[in-house]
């Protein structure tokens, strides 16, 4: 089955609530965006032909902005934001199981990759057999 671009990593979709600030920004965008295009998607390219933005367009835009503000990473893009989010959750002592569920990992080992920089969590897994950490 071909991958649906509306799905997130792993082919699963998730819905998250929007904050009032983000909701207001989306409403403002929709009121200002071109209305003479046949596409129902919310975000369209800024130049003609006005077509729905693809995930790689968003990733490229994020990468450009990251470099513009001086963030130096090997592969700058939207996936970097995903990794940063997961890293913040690890540093906040969120259980790996909760983090994995949040980002859609099917297997705990996928989330445990983030433990390489969370030495304190790795110690807990080893010392306590991991039940409380995972």
């Amino acid at each position: 089955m071909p991958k649906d671009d509306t799905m997130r990593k792993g082919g699963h979709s998730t819905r998250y609530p929007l904050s009032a600030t983000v909701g207001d920004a989306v409403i403002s965008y929709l009121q200002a965006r071109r209305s003479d295009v046949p596409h129902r998607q919310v975000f369209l390219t800024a130049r003609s032909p006005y077509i729905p933005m693809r995930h790689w367009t968003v990733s490229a835009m994020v990468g450009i902005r990251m470099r513009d503000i001086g963030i130096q990473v090997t592969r700058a893009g939207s996936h970097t934001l995903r990794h940063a989010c997961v890293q913040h959750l690890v540093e906040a002592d969120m259980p790996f199981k909760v983090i994995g569920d949040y980002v859609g990992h099917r297997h705990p080992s996928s989330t445990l990759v983030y433990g390489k920089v969370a030495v304190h969590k790795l110690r807990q897994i080893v010392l306590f057999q991991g039940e409380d950490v995972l």
Side-chain angles (χ1 to χ4, degrees), residues 1-18:
M1 172 163 68
K3 185 177 182 216
D4 178 358
D5 284 335
T6 61
M7 303 301 234
R8 68 180 194 184
K9 186 173 181 177
H12 302 284
S13 65
T14 299
R15 294 181 183 171
Y16 297 107
L18 291 178

Side-chain angles (χ1 to χ4, degrees), residues 5 29 39 41-46 49-62:
D5 284 335
Y29 169 80
H39 304 289
Q41 289 82 353
V42 174
F43 299 106
L44 305 174
T45 55
Y50 302 103
I51 58 174
M53 290 181 74
R54 306 295 294 226
H55 65 84
W56 53 80
T57 305
V58 174
S59 190
M61 291 170 63
V62 170

Side-chain angles (χ1 to χ4, degrees), residues 40-95:
R40 292 184 42 106
Q41 289 82 353
V42 174
F43 299 106
L44 305 174
T45 55
R47 286 178 258 170
S48 180
Y50 302 103
I51 58 174
M53 290 181 74
R54 306 295 294 226
H55 65 84
W56 53 80
T57 305
V58 174
S59 190
M61 291 170 63
V62 170
I64 290 167
R65 298 303 178 268
M66 290 175 77
R67 285 187 286 283
D68 286 351
I69 62 173
I71 297 175
Q72 301 296 322
V73 293
T74 306
R75 295 184 331 196
S78 56
H79 206 72
T80 306
L81 301 178
R82 174 184 168 89
H83 285 279
C85 174
V86 170
Q87 195 57 51
H88 284 296
L89 294 173
V90 168
E91 291 168 3
D93 286 330
M94 184 76 62

